[in-house]
Amino acid sequence: MVSKAGRWWRSAVVYQVYIRSFADSSGDGVGDIAGLRSRLPYLAGLGIDALWINPWYPSPMRDGGYDVADLRGIDPSFGTLLEAEAMIREAHGLGLRVLLDLVPNHVSDQHAWFREALAAGRAGSGSSARARFLFRDGRGPAGAEPPNDWTSNFGGSAWTRVTDPDGRPEQWYLHLFAPEQPDLDWTNREVQDEFAAVMRFWFDLGVDGFRIDVAHGLAKAEGLPDLGETEWPPGADGRLGHPHWDRDEVHAIYRSWRALADEYDDPRVFVGEAWVHDSERLARYVRSDELHTAFNFDFLLAPWDAEPMRRSIETTLRTHEAVGAAPTWVLSNHDTVREVSRYARPQGVRRLLKLDDVLALPADRPAGLRRARAAALLMLALPGGAYIYQGEELGLPEVEDLPDEALRDPVWALSGHAERGRDGCRVPIPWSGPAPPFGFSPVAADAAPWLPQPASWRELTVEAQTGADGSTLELYRRALAVRREHPALGDGHLTWLCMPAGALAFVRDPGFGCIVNFSAADSVPIPPDAAPLLASGSLTQDRRVPQDTAVWLTLDQSTAKRA
Ligand code: NOJ
């Protein structure tokens, strides 16, 4: 069933399983491997090619599992290594590849290496145990000031000072994320060797590849200089040279990983999570001897508007083609506002990334859903691969009214309750039934879902949407089925057609067309020699595409020629 074998990743639709929120079989309110296994037939039926599973390793869960305590294990709340192996086998049996999440920038403060580093104490400040991390003496009198001015992504300083067993303050360590996520030093040989061994461990277990967490953050400037006025993303002058984001030194790491992945007969693949400031910089991560693919966040961040979307698509295609890589398209993930809610907001702003800023804007919810559905057809028609974040196929909105006491994202506490964080897009999936837990947990569960589901989701369950005319789930199923069969879709090229302002249209060989009307006030006519194949919403009586609607078309030769 795996489509377009060979370099399959160039066309693959990958489904993101945020395992804590996917399906709970044990009844503790947290998703697990057994739950995922029970839902594999659903995923295969949806028509995807691969899964990417968010971190499932042993973890204190200070950052949803991105604080890994053991890189070769499974957290007991998710199951066992044996279950993981069985899951991989079963997925393969259904024609689905499996990607895991590799977190190389940092580990948990409970990882054996970090405990060893702490145990080395002040006397061990030059020890090999500390050299795996970025321990430094503080500045100022008695070293009481952090070693530099870097800030954590989650708020506050990027440095935490450790104390000796007698409670006396000693060195500081770097953490670009939570204090419980100490950064590794990637110039350290042991760190490099350990990650190579970890990759082999999972590859040998049958895993098909890795999503690379914070792929743009592993290299730090020598001497860890102050950030000072350095802006991120770079200011108007485009000046590069940030001391810890998107440094050129990361590429040597990915070249060595690519060599390792290529040793396998069925080559293992990587997708980089690299938040870089433009498509040219992103393309550097997917040069032919580096990562196979990278998430295209530029597309995710583009407002729902024809011109910015077209620019994002064109630039992506051009920069990826220049290095021979296939683009990937993505609308959301476990760190962003779900697109139904994002597109419900006024779309003027280019960088709608700060979650609270997005959600503070007034919402037109029906428009959000219409646009998200149209965006799905646009995304799945573009050349390259695509990512679907669990629940996207159900048209789930962001849960915007989680009570304060339910919030689990470390961002909430670390920002001093200034930012609510990312829990609103992580609420457990509604599978069936009229009330929470909507089949997420078994009927006799001991605990409620770890984040509360809104009662209104009764209309959005998989059960409610299955077979329902016009449901978002059926739209995705149909689109994925067409994509799987249609020779024009997946990897390849597109040709733009002329359209009125506010609309985009392109054709793909052989015989496929896509029209998206973002905002053209007059609906857009479908060419007479084209037949609608699938539409994200109703077309007008006279076969025109209204606003916030996308349509896929079957073309006969003459439309294709006009392109
Ligand atoms: C990116 C992950 O997607 C996010 O969830 C996590 O908090 C950070 N990296 C740190 O690992």
Side-chain angles (χ1 to χ4, degrees):
M1 246 170 84
V2 169
S3 68
K4 301 178 183 156
R7 298 192 297 162
W8 60 273
W9 60 88
R10 297 186 63 98
S11 296
V13 177
V14 184
Y15 185 95
Q16 179 187 350
V17 175
Y18 191 70
I19 187 157
R20 304 160 85 197
S21 300
F22 189 64
D24 162 31
S25 88
S26 67
D28 64 356
V30 178
D32 47 40
I33 296 176
L36 169 56
R37 283 171 77 184
S38 73
R39 300 293 181 181
L40 285 176
Y42 165 79
L43 294 176
L46 190 59
I48 52 148
D49 302 294
L51 320 177
W52 145 39
I53 304 169
N54 285 101
W56 59 3
Y57 316 105
S59 165
M61 302 288 163
R62 300 310 296 258
D63 180 23
Y66 283 94
D67 45 328
V68 181
D70 171 4
L71 291 148
R72 294 175 178 78
I74 299 289
D75 193 83
S77 67
F78 296 140
T80 64
L81 202 53
L82 278 179
E83 286 179 271
E85 272 192 271
M87 193 285 294
I88 295 165
R89 255 197 326 275
E90 287 162 12
H92 285 167
L94 291 165
L96 303 174
R97 313 242 182 194
V98 178
L99 310 181
L100 300 186
D101 212 316
L102 189 71
V103 189
N105 182 66
H106 43 263
V107 289
S108 159
D109 62 352
Q110 299 307 307
H111 187 284
W113 274 5
F114 195 70
R115 288 162 173 260
E116 217 184 300
L118 290 187
R122 180 181 290 283
S125 44
S127 68
S128 57
R130 287 213 168 175
R132 297 166 181 144
F133 297 91
L134 291 144
F135 277 87
R136 296 290 182 274
D137 292 332
R139 296 202 284 209
E145 299 293 323
N148 70 22
D149 65 355
W150 297 2
T151 53
S152 149
N153 246 33
F154 292 158
S157 170
W159 295 91
T160 290
R161 194 168 195 187
V162 299
T163 47
D164 70 15
D166 300 324
R168 281 185 309 240
E170 43 125 328
Q171 283 195 299
W172 299 71
Y173 66 89
L174 178 74
H175 51 86
L176 292 183
F177 293 88
E180 295 86 356
Q181 293 168 294
D183 276 44
L184 293 163
D185 183 345
W186 269 89
T187 63
N188 183 284
R189 191 64 214 219
E190 263 188 283
V191 170
Q192 298 164 7
D193 290 349
E194 171 65 356
F195 273 82
V198 164
M199 280 191 270
R200 282 187 203 284
F201 172 83
W202 291 105
F203 287 159
D204 293 344
L205 223 70
V207 162
D208 299 283
F210 284 106
R211 174 257 190 196
I212 312 298
D213 190 58
V214 202
H216 58 308
L218 271 51
K220 277 82 184 179
E222 216 181 314
L224 310 182
D226 273 340
L227 206 51
E229 301 295 304
T230 318
E231 287 178 52
W232 187 257
D237 62 356
R239 195 157 52 92
L240 295 167
H242 191 280
H244 60 72
W245 292 143
D246 192 24
R247 295 192 59 80
D248 289 345
E249 298 91 310
V250 293
H251 297 287
I253 301 172
Y254 302 134
R255 280 194 284 274
S256 75
W257 291 6
R258 179 61 177 261
L260 191 158
D262 284 351
E263 282 173 23
Y264 288 78
D265 286 340
D266 185 10
R268 306 308 202 245
V269 305
F270 299 115
V271 52
E273 186 224 17
W275 288 92
V276 299
H277 76 281
D278 71 23
S279 208
E280 313 272 352
R281 294 296 296 180
L282 186 66
R284 296 164 61 85
Y285 288 77
V286 291
R287 288 176 288 193
S288 61
D289 57 350
E290 298 194 35
L291 306 178
H292 304 72
T293 56
F295 293 111
N296 181 359
F297 294 128
D298 191 72
F299 179 71
L300 185 154
L301 292 170
W304 181 252
D305 201 357
E307 264 323 295
M309 278 283 185
R310 180 179 169 136
R311 266 200 307 279
S312 176
I313 295 166
E314 275 180 350
T315 316
T316 302
L317 293 174
R318 178 173 45 75
T319 52
H320 281 67
E321 200 168 304
V323 294
T328 65
W329 309 96
V330 58
L331 293 171
S332 66
N333 63 34
H334 65 291
D335 293 328
T336 59
V337 175
R338 282 191 177 274
E339 68 271 33
V340 166
S341 304
R342 214 170 59 230
Y343 292 144
R345 268 56 194 200
Q347 293 294 300
V349 192
R350 167 73 185 81
R351 295 253 164 215
L352 275 182
L353 186 55
K354 259 197 138 198
L355 279 65
D356 292 322
D357 292 355
V358 178
L359 298 175
L361 297 167
D364 176 347
R365 293 176 206 288
L369 181 58
R370 280 198 307 274
R371 293 169 180 174
R373 290 165 56 101
L377 287 199
L378 168 62
M379 169 175 87
L380 293 172
L382 291 171
Y387 278 76
I388 296 175
Y389 174 43
Q390 67 179 39
E392 186 175 316
E393 79 278 23
L394 303 176
L396 293 188
E398 187 85 0
V399 180
E400 300 184 30
D401 56 356
L402 287 170
D404 291 359
E405 60 281 8
L407 299 180
R408 295 285 175 273
D409 187 343
V411 167
W412 174 235
L414 290 171
S415 67
H417 296 177
E419 288 176 44
R420 297 181 65 75
R422 302 158 292 179
D423 291 314
C425 64
R426 299 175 175 181
V427 172
I429 294 297
W431 291 95
S432 57
F438 293 121
F440 169 71
S441 297
V443 182
D446 298 330
W450 69 280
L451 287 171
Q453 301 158 307
S456 58
W457 280 13
R458 80 178 76 80
E459 284 153 25
L460 298 177
T461 64
V462 170
E463 183 181 53
Q465 295 198 45
T466 294
D469 233 14
S471 76
T472 303
L473 177 56
E474 292 302 341
L475 176 72
Y476 268 81
R477 283 186 171 140
R478 181 85 193 109
L480 290 168
V482 172
R483 179 181 160 109
R484 194 166 265 271
E485 296 306 322
H486 205 301
L489 295 180
D491 196 14
H493 303 277
L494 61 69
T495 307
W496 296 105
L497 296 182
C498 267
M499 276 285 120
L504 294 180
F506 55 87
V507 294
R508 300 195 58 188
D509 227 13
F512 176 89
C514 177
I515 300 178
V516 188
N517 182 353
F518 294 83
S519 59
D522 284 337
S523 49
V524 178
I526 292 176
D529 44 8
L533 187 56
L534 183 62
S536 66
S538 306
L539 304 177
T540 64
Q541 293 266 332
D542 54 347
R543 277 187 21 130
R544 296 172 70 97
V545 187
Q547 273 187 15
D548 295 331
T549 306
V551 61
W552 285 3
L553 304 168
T554 302
L555 306 181
D556 79 13
Q557 287 308 321
S558 48
T559 314
K561 265 203 207 93
R562 274 208 311 277

